Amino acid sequence: MTTSQKLATELENVLSGNPWYGPSVYSIVESISFEAAYEKPVGSVHNIAAIILHMTGWTEEVMDRMNGMDAQLPVRGDWPEPGLPEEQKWKWIVEDLKLVNVNLAGFIQNFPEERWSEPVAGKSGADETGETYEYQVAGLIQHHIYHSAQIALLNRMING
């Protein structure tokens, strides 16, 4: 199995499959009402909508890096403000997450196999720290898992 195949399969499984650890990202996100998405339980730093915007931004940033752009914070910002609660806006936030991950899957499938082990542009010391393209995409998949667990916990806090 090539690196591209391995990463694409792992991404698909985490997003919409049956990952070993529990519910997929999309099954968690699709269970969130727009009211819950904007509620911030006492003690939480971000609401669910902000977490999903954060996930979307970092997915776009990893694709920019795969396109040869220097590593930086996401264009949207690290933690974009979701604004006031609106049901249509919530639907767009979820659709954006899905669309950007469809695009990422395409990037992964078409990424040249010989480039996976190259250091990411703009990451000083990437050769020494292992910040290769493969490392970045694997890290993003882990990032999706981490934040989907946060979303599930926040939803449980909100809805009991």
Side-chain angles (χ1 to χ4, degrees):
M1 181 177 284
T2 66
T3 301
S4 295
Q5 291 168 328
K6 181 180 80 170
L7 290 170
T9 299
E10 185 64 19
L11 179 67
E12 180 181 337
N13 192 40
V14 164
L15 292 173
S16 60
N18 293 304
W20 174 84
Y21 61 83
S24 68
V25 172
Y26 294 158
S27 68
I28 293 169
V29 170
E30 289 167 355
S31 73
I32 308 295
S33 68
F34 91 91
E35 295 91 351
Y38 288 91
E39 189 171 329
K40 192 186 304 182
V42 174
S44 21
V45 177
H46 303 288
N47 62 24
I48 292 168
I51 294 170
I52 293 176
L53 289 171
H54 170 80
M55 292 168 68
T56 300
W58 277 103
T59 304
E60 291 169 337
E61 173 58 22
V62 167
M63 286 190 297
D64 285 347
R65 293 174 185 189
M66 292 172 77
N67 265 331
M69 295 175 67
D70 282 353
Q72 61 182 4
L73 287 176
V75 172
R76 297 177 185 227
D78 191 16
W79 288 99
E81 176 57 44
L84 297 174
E86 292 178 31
E87 189 167 9
Q88 185 59 51
K89 185 171 34 171
W90 169 242
K91 289 177 183 177
W92 289 333
I93 288 171
V94 171
E95 288 305 312
D96 280 352
L97 177 70
K98 291 178 179 181
L99 179 59
V100 76
N101 279 288
V102 166
N103 292 338
L104 175 63
F107 270 74
I108 291 169
Q109 291 166 352
N110 295 312
F111 200 72
E113 191 65 25
E114 65 278 1
R115 293 204 51 221
W116 284 113
S117 60
E118 291 178 9
V120 172
K123 292 293 285 184
S124 60
D127 290 328
E128 294 80 31
T129 61
E131 295 225 15
T132 62
Y133 291 106
E134 180 179 7
Y135 178 86
Q136 294 281 295
V137 172
L140 181 69
I141 292 168
Q142 294 166 3
H143 187 253
H144 282 353
I145 295 167
Y146 173 83
H147 285 303
S148 68
Q150 278 186 314
I151 291 166
L153 288 172
L154 284 172
N155 193 45
R156 187 173 292 161
M157 290 170 67
I158 293 164
N159 293 308

